[in-house]
Amino acid sequence: MTHIDRAGLSVAEELATFIEGEVLSGLGIEANGFWTGVADIFARFTPENRALLARRDELQARIDGWHAARNGQPHDPTATESFLRAIGYLVPEPAPFQVGTERVDDELARLAGPQLVVPILNARFLLNAANARWGSLYDALYGTDALGDLPPPGGYDVERGARVVARAKAFLDEAVPLETVSWADVDESFAHAIALKHQDQFVGRTDKGVLYRHNGLHIEVVFDRDHPVGATDPAGIADVILESALSTICDLEDSVAAVDAVDKTAAYRNWLGLMKGDLAASFQKGGRTLERTLEADKTYTADDGSTRTLKGRSLLFVRNVGHLMTNPAIRLSDGSEAFEGILDAILTSLIGLYDLKGLGRFRNSTAGSIYIVKPKMHGPDEAAFSNALFDAVEDLLGLARHTIKVGVMDEERRTSANLAACIHAVKDRIVFINTGFLDRTGDEIHTAMRAGPVVRKADIKSSRWIAAYEARNVAIGLACGLSGRAQIGKGMWAAPDRMADMLEQKIGHPRTGANTAWVPSPTAATLHAMHYHAVDVFAVQTEVAARPTPGLDDLLTPPLALGANWSEQEVADELDNNAQGILGYVVRWIDQGVGCSKVPDIHDVGLMEDRATLRISSQHIANWLLHGVCTVDQVEAAFRRMAAKVDMQNADDPLYCPMAADPERSLAYQAARALVFDGVGQPNGYTEPLLHAFRLRAKAR
């Protein structure tokens, strides 16, 4: 790719043309001055970024040595904590403090509800997620297994429709109870003069519906006799619309494969389309070409006769990449690639000016903030680095201090163990913490790599450190004053086709005091929204805040299986499960550039896979290899078996490149092997360096 000089930086022509012709021009920002400022930021922050990565390696080497010297000994929490403090892995707790974040939208600070994460390279998915602020409960119940079974094939099933209506009205009885009767008893005679048990739940009227509010979330009951469902309903109710995905994370990180200037430009262009409000996506459905755009706001008439609006779209975050990776989109004066996280901070904030200045079709943040999620930070020094970087970007763009807000992913062991100090480092711009269980598990395995073999992957979910991690995250967040100012989030439901299980299990997230949790689809967001009507999260937070914060002993107890004696079949089953998951995900990443998708597991159950799940599987096999639980030959055999299975699972994909027939030629197969056999040496067990290298080779091919 052609690179051109910009203030001493070598910038890919495609990226420079996009920035100057599509972004700066609309903002009235002069290009030369902008590029000079960008070059200054890279000159200032690149050395520190490199030093932070070197510090990670230094700490890991010392931890490896500690574990190697104690090999085979039982875990000693007191000795472990003393050692980690001595090397600076654990830092002193800050004095009690309260975060000072200002100008935060209600969706993050004062409401509790679902959150979506969506790959920024897929415009249609982006629009679906952004438009998932409102969702049909009837559709979500009818089209999934939420009622315990799937809809029969063919057209509308009347019996199933009746079950959907009954379930939805039972929900209304719980969330918006009537004064004297059940919603199932409402008929035409008093459908439009409904007496509520709590009259203050009434918000207003829309063209065909009535708006109510419960636990801060809106519910619209739609009355429409012209609708097929409303025509047969005693009250003429055609649907129940729930306020669903309050916020959405537009992801530049784990769910995308962005390895060069072409990919990065496409990603930034989609973010620009969201901020300007003109993003559109065409697709085929039922033999017709349809176009999707952003939904308008929802208007209603209040009691006083005035017309008011509610947001029609999710509040949008943008997730930047972490501190590790570089990208050839920009090269520095010494010829090295620029750190991608610094590039993301500058350009996503620059594009966010369209929203701040009111230049778009809609407003994203009515509070006047830009929301950036920052993942994969290790400890408070790295959080402080992000804070200083955002200061510099604000200065470059002429923004008031702390206009750029930060969401801290609590997904690395050193961050979990020092969470209060990490929050303190960004205390005036933090709007989000999240227990990222998947990456946190991968980092747990890598950090304890030399301590011994870890338990089987499924058993890690019941490890002592996980319960401590989940509880500490909420408790520390509340102690630092996040309630009413920021989100405390929980992780993803990874099985998008299993909504009945989600409805049964995911209510556990709001019950912990988390005011948001991730879901895999707009439909799942609507179903998960029911949990936030069942649980008053902010009341739970008051209860949790009164409890003591769990200590470090359990958090620092690695999930080791010292003395385990698995059978040969158990080892083979574990290897097959891991190898199938690795291959099923990596083959799409390398060959097709798909960073997140629903991948069939070894039992043909579709699971959402991204780099975080890949990190676990690859590190798990690497750990077992290191400690002699399995052999190289056993791993190679598992990869060969599972390559054939993954080929079969993808047989109907016309873009799929089979692996099993010629594994030596398959870059995807070779990448999967490298993730395991080179896994011990990968920085913090991350998969990105190898994935990027093999994807670039595949694109060159």
Side-chain angles (χ1 to χ4, degrees), residues 499-511:
M499 292 294 98
D501 290 343
M502 187 194 79
L503 281 172
E504 179 182 349
Q505 297 176 40
K506 203 169 175 67
I507 195 170
H509 283 161
R511 283 174 175 166

Side-chain angles (χ1 to χ4, degrees), residues 5-9 11-12 15-25 27-43 268 330 342-354 357 392-399 404:
D5 181 80
R6 290 293 184 268
L9 300 172
V11 183
L15 179 62
T17 300
F18 163 73
I19 293 170
E20 294 166 9
E22 299 181 41
V23 184
L24 296 178
S25 59
L27 294 168
I29 295 176
E30 191 268 328
N32 289 336
F34 171 77
W35 285 115
T36 298
V38 170
D40 289 345
I41 288 176
F42 275 114
Y268 296 140
I330 292 182
I342 298 175
L343 179 64
D344 278 354
I346 296 168
L347 294 189
T348 57
S349 299
L350 172 69
I351 291 167
L353 290 180
Y354 278 88
K357 294 177 178 292
V393 173
E394 287 166 346
D395 292 342
L396 170 67
L397 301 180
L399 297 174
I404 302 172

Side-chain angles (χ1 to χ4, degrees), residues 19 72 79 158 185 195 262 267 291 327 380 384 402 409 451 484 577 584 588 610 620 623 646 651 655 676 678:
I19 293 170
V158 174
D185 300 324
V262 174
E291 184 175 70
N327 194 287
H402 305 135
M409 293 294 300
N577 181 46
R588 296 183 183 183
D610 66 7
H620 195 276
N623 172 270
V646 171
L655 299 177
V676 168
D678 299 337

Side-chain angles (χ1 to χ4, degrees), residues 571 575 621 623-635:
V571 171
L575 293 178
I621 301 181
N623 172 270
W624 275 22
L625 272 171
L626 179 67
H627 294 285
V629 177
C630 59
T631 66
V632 170
D633 287 345
Q634 286 175 303
V635 175

Side-chain angles (χ1 to χ4, degrees), residues 88-131:
Y89 185 96
L90 293 176
V91 302
E93 286 276 307
F97 70 97
Q98 299 287 288
V99 300
T101 317
E102 302 286 351
R103 291 174 289 153
V104 183
D105 287 84
D106 286 350
E107 291 94 330
L108 310 183
R110 297 170 188 86
L111 297 174
Q115 187 170 68
L116 289 168
V117 183
V118 60
I120 204 166
L121 284 171
N122 190 311
R124 181 182 173 188
F125 289 0
L126 272 179
L127 290 163
N128 288 346
N131 291 339

Side-chain angles (χ1 to χ4, degrees), residues 105 107-108 114-118 126-134 243-250 271 274-275 294-297 311-317 362-365 371 522 525:
D105 287 84
E107 291 94 330
L108 310 183
Q115 187 170 68
L116 289 168
V117 183
V118 60
L126 272 179
L127 290 163
N128 288 346
N131 291 339
R133 181 62 173 262
W134 301 90
E243 192 171 18
S244 300
L246 296 182
S247 56
T248 289
I249 298 173
C250 305
W271 179 238
L274 289 172
M275 292 298 96
L294 289 171
E295 292 285 350
D297 290 335
K311 225 180 228 183
R313 301 154 309 284
S314 283
L315 182 74
L316 303 180
F317 283 89
F362 304 112
R363 294 305 296 264
N364 181 46
S365 170
Y371 296 107

